[in-house]
Amino acid sequence: QWYQRKVRVERENKNLKLQIQEAEETIARRNTNPLASPEYKTLQADIYERNKELEMLKTAHTRVKKQLTEKTGELDHCQKRLEVIEDEVYNLRKRVEDLKKELAQREDEVDMRNNQIRKLQRTSDELAEHNDTLQTQLNTLESRLRQRTDAMFNPAQRRQLAADVSDTDDF
């Protein structure tokens, strides 16, 4: 019994020593510098790369934001210019319409005056023709008158009568 107790105590002692050794190793692992571990170095390198990428993205974001501001300003300017141009186009179209109306009125006036001119020309032609007819009748009458006066008067009286007729032609 004593021997068995001794073996049991030695076994327990051995088990306790193993537990103590494991506990010391666990404590040692906990107390060791985590900064020296390879996992930590990998994580640190990964964080460095991500921070670097983040800085690049921030820079790119700032640049794109500035470009957006510039393009927005350009767009605003273009929209204002477009509004001005649209107003000008509206005014020009209105002016064209007004000019078309004015042109139509003027064309109507020209047509009316051309009609008046044609009417006056016809009247003038008719009067000229009537004048020619009257002149022909006058010539015929004068010719007849001369023929009758020649038969009725002597040569001196004829001259006096011809002078009187020529005086009336001047009127």
Side-chain angles (χ1 to χ4, degrees):
Q1 273 189 351
W2 183 80
Y3 180 71
Q4 286 178 348
R5 213 189 283 178
K6 183 180 174 189
V7 171
R8 212 176 358 172
V9 170
E10 282 180 8
R11 247 188 263 152
E12 281 179 31
N13 195 13
K14 189 176 180 184
N15 281 339
L16 288 174
K17 282 183 183 181
L18 280 174
Q19 285 178 358
I20 290 172
Q21 186 179 2
E22 284 177 9
E24 285 177 351
E25 286 176 4
T26 303
I27 291 171
R29 267 185 283 165
R30 285 183 189 168
N31 287 337
T32 57
N33 188 358
L35 301 179
S37 74
E39 290 175 5
Y40 179 76
K41 288 182 180 179
T42 304
L43 290 174
Q44 199 174 26
D46 190 37
I47 289 173
Y48 175 77
E49 289 297 320
R50 288 182 184 216
N51 282 339
K52 204 166 141 181
E53 187 176 329
L54 181 62
E55 286 300 317
M56 287 174 23
L57 288 173
K58 283 181 182 179
T59 304
H61 178 264
T62 303
R63 185 175 54 247
V64 168
K65 191 174 181 179
K66 184 179 178 182
Q67 289 175 347
L68 175 65
T69 303
E70 290 173 0
K71 295 297 180 185
T72 303
E74 288 178 23
L75 179 62
D76 289 343
H77 175 72
C78 289
Q79 285 176 334
K80 288 176 185 175
R81 183 71 180 128
L82 177 64
E83 289 173 3
V84 168
I85 290 172
E86 285 175 343
D87 287 343
E88 289 176 4
V89 167
Y90 174 78
N91 291 334
L92 287 174
R93 284 186 178 155
K94 187 177 177 184
R95 178 72 176 137
V96 166
E97 289 300 317
D98 292 344
L99 289 173
K100 284 180 181 179
K101 288 177 184 176
E102 187 178 335
L103 176 64
Q105 289 174 347
R106 299 279 170 100
E107 286 175 343
D108 290 344
E109 288 175 15
V110 167
D111 289 343
M112 185 178 71
R113 288 186 179 161
N114 283 339
N115 289 337
Q116 287 175 344
I117 290 171
R118 276 190 236 108
K119 188 175 180 181
L120 290 173
Q121 186 64 43
R122 277 194 306 267
T123 304
S124 174
D125 291 345
E126 289 171 1
L127 288 174
E129 186 178 322
H130 186 65
N131 188 29
D132 289 343
T133 304
L134 291 176
Q135 186 64 40
T136 305
Q137 288 176 357
L138 179 63
N139 290 340
T140 304
L141 290 175
E142 284 178 347
S143 174
R144 286 184 193 166
L145 180 61
R146 265 188 240 117
Q147 289 172 358
R148 286 186 188 166
T149 54
D150 284 347
M152 295 171 62
F153 297 109
N154 63 30
Q157 289 175 332
R158 269 189 254 146
R159 273 183 255 144
Q160 181 61 38
L161 186 59
D164 289 344
V165 169
S166 66
D167 287 342
T168 58
D169 285 343
D170 292 341
F171 291 106

